[in-house]
Amino acid sequence: MSDTPFGFGLPPEEPDDGDEGKKKDQQSGGGQGPANPFGFGGLPGAGGLGGPGADNPLAAMFGSLNPNDLGAAFQQLGQMLSYEGGPVNWDMAKQIARQTVSQGTQDGVKDASIGPADRSAVEEAVRLADLWLDDATSLPSGAGSAVAWSRAEWVEATLPAWKELVDPVAERVGAAMGDVLPEEMQAMAGPLIGMMRSMGGAMFGTQIGQAVGVLAGEVVGSTDIGLPLGPVGKAALLPLNIKAFGKDLGVPQEEVRLYLALREAAHQRLFAHVPWLRSHLYGAVDGYARGIKVDTAKLEDVVGQFDPANPEQLQDALQQGMFQPEDTPEQKAALARLETALALVEGWVDAVVHAAAKPRLTSADALRETLRRRRATGGPAEQTFATLIGLELRPRRLRDASRLWASLTDARGVDGRDGLWAHPDMLPTASDLDDPDGFVHREQMDFSELDKMLGEAASGTAEKPDLKKDEGSGDDGTE
């Protein structure tokens, strides 16, 4: 688990005091201080916070600040400071994400519009994948349509889901930023606090926008991170990224596309026919946000001793990570629920897709292992998720979950395995992932006993012998 969601450290003071601000910037050496305000870490990708000019807090938005572009740069700065929306400036996030996508990936591959051939290939792959999955799961198709997206289209389609994921965390951290000053000082510092929140919303938007833009260059569908990011009932694949994914695998492109279509279609079935699953996962994220505790004691101490003649004192204190959230029992419990649920989702998809692909694709084993290693080594997708909500998936859990689902299939069949998704209380727990065989056998015993009890209750056989005995005892006059 990442120690700080959003890579959130403490913001260096924004130089808004003319010459004094310039002096501080010169003293900092341009790049000797934190890489960017609020402690946002750089992300892979060209330009922006992780690229050239990362020591400039506005580099992600203004590029190299070419004098010819200063007019547009100051216009963006004005928009940033005048922002009065929620905890994240989503207009800015969308703009940064689109800019990041337009720059292309590190290997120089630029985004491109989807042509008719790619659209037709994706539709056919998803249609065939759904046919194969009918033999591997009792859950019916969940994809009402199949679409081929460019990277830019993926950004547009998934931003609403990112908003739902990120806003609870950003709201909690943003509120803590505004509450650190004593109440009597808040009244006097109202404009300053408003500007801080505007800057915070912009910086969140910048970080999220660049993260989503980088992720758009890697994902192959709408469910790569185990959460449904796209519209309900729409299976989506990104042909450009699928080609990059399969480039050096030595596997025919058609098989790569079909295997990834199987994974996308399997996710769609699960989220379409397990109605509580989406809210369960997003609720765990919200629970994590509610558990954030920001250590403000340090900042309150600094504010109490603040010397206006020494503004660097506050900046130095801010740079020491005063706003780093602490791990709390609530956070740990929410993250444990989320990690386990995501592992069960990914493990189920892995097991079901393997069952459907193994008899039909010669490369099924190789593709399965490639995707598992892709998760194990992390990469932009895992890094982005960790950055946005402070969560890193443990690959060991995914393999354990896949093994558990396979054992359940052997023991109970497809219907018995998929029936566990009927209610969250029926699913395996984190401890069950450590002992899959124990869960399978224990649950089999419990279910058979439950079936027996329900059958007896329905027929009344459990009570009739006792009634006859009582009636006989009364006739004999014995006790």
Side-chain angles (χ1 to χ4, degrees), residues 15-70:
D16 58 351
D17 48 355
D19 293 337
E20 203 51 38
K22 295 178 182 177
K23 186 186 301 181
K24 285 188 287 184
D25 185 63
Q26 293 168 356
Q27 290 173 350
S28 69
Q32 303 302 315
N36 43 66
F38 297 94
F40 285 139
L43 288 170
L49 297 177
D55 55 342
N56 185 337
L58 303 179
M61 289 169 283
F62 303 149
S64 60
L65 285 176
N66 186 302
N68 295 329
D69 299 326
L70 280 178

Side-chain angles (χ1 to χ4, degrees), residues 71-112:
F74 282 116
Q75 183 179 7
Q76 284 187 295
L77 179 60
Q79 292 172 352
M80 179 175 67
L81 294 176
S82 62
Y83 174 70
E84 296 180 352
V88 178
N89 188 331
W90 286 103
D91 290 337
M92 182 166 288
K94 178 179 175 180
Q95 178 183 352
I96 297 298
R98 293 295 297 261
Q99 290 176 356
T100 303
V101 164
S102 68
Q103 292 169 1
T105 51
Q106 291 182 342
D107 58 5
V109 178
K110 299 283 188 178
D111 194 19

Side-chain angles (χ1 to χ4, degrees), residues 87-298:
V88 178
N89 188 331
W90 286 103
D91 290 337
M92 182 166 288
K94 178 179 175 180
Q95 178 183 352
I96 297 298
R98 293 295 297 261
Q99 290 176 356
T100 303
V101 164
S102 68
Q103 292 169 1
T105 51
Q106 291 182 342
D107 58 5
V109 178
K110 299 283 188 178
D111 194 19
S113 299
I114 304 300
D118 280 331
R119 293 189 188 279
S120 177
V122 165
E123 291 171 0
E124 177 61 21
V126 172
R127 185 193 66 79
L128 186 56
D130 256 336
L131 287 176
W132 290 3
L133 287 172
D134 285 340
D135 296 332
T137 174
S138 62
L139 298 180
S141 174
S145 61
V147 294
W149 282 341
S150 66
R151 294 166 180 169
E153 287 172 325
W154 182 89
V155 168
E156 295 277 354
T158 62
L159 273 179
W162 289 117
K163 187 177 189 298
E164 188 175 353
L165 274 171
V166 172
D167 269 351
V169 180
E171 180 70 44
R172 189 70 182 88
V173 177
M177 289 173 56
D179 293 342
V180 293
L181 294 176
E183 188 174 347
E184 60 274 12
M185 291 189 65
Q186 288 188 28
M188 294 184 293
L192 177 60
I193 292 176
M195 188 176 70
M196 284 179 60
R197 288 183 173 172
S198 294
M199 290 292 294
M203 292 306 168
F204 271 115
T206 299
Q207 174 74 351
I208 293 162
Q210 190 169 30
V212 171
V214 170
L215 188 55
E218 185 204 40
V219 295
V220 295
S222 70
T223 54
D224 278 31
I225 64 172
L227 289 171
L229 297 178
V232 176
K234 186 172 289 188
L237 295 176
L238 282 73
L240 184 63
N241 292 355
I242 289 176
K243 292 174 185 175
F245 172 80
K247 182 179 179 182
D248 299 320
L249 296 182
V251 176
Q253 189 67 218
E254 293 75 14
E255 289 199 20
V256 174
R257 184 192 304 113
L258 187 49
Y259 193 87
L260 296 176
L262 281 166
R263 290 184 53 82
E264 177 74 9
H267 277 103
Q268 293 292 337
R269 288 185 180 223
L270 192 59
F271 285 108
H273 299 290
V274 182
W276 55 266
L277 184 56
R278 178 187 172 94
S279 60
H280 178 75
L281 292 169
Y282 280 67
V285 176
D286 186 63
Y288 169 74
R290 288 197 304 270
I292 289 179
K293 303 294 182 184
V294 181
D295 181 12
T296 58
K298 218 188 272 185

Side-chain angles (χ1 to χ4, degrees), residues 330-410:
E330 294 85 359
Q331 280 179 287
K332 290 178 179 178
L335 283 174
R337 289 195 304 273
L338 187 56
E339 285 179 335
T340 301
L342 285 171
L344 290 173
V345 168
E346 288 298 282
W348 183 87
V349 168
D350 180 81
V352 167
V353 168
H354 183 69
K358 177 70 172 173
R360 300 175 173 94
L361 295 179
T362 57
S363 57
D365 288 333
L367 289 170
R368 183 190 202 188
E369 189 58 31
T370 297
L371 285 162
R372 283 181 165 185
R373 290 182 180 180
R374 190 180 189 225
R375 277 301 183 88
T377 56
E382 297 295 339
Q383 294 168 14
T384 298
F385 203 41
T387 300
L388 293 183
I389 66 171
L391 171 71
E392 291 178 355
L393 297 180
R394 292 172 291 178
R396 180 179 65 85
R397 299 284 82 182
L398 301 181
R399 291 180 181 268
D400 291 343
S402 180
R403 188 162 55 249
L404 184 146
W405 289 118
S407 297
L408 283 168
T409 307
D410 293 338

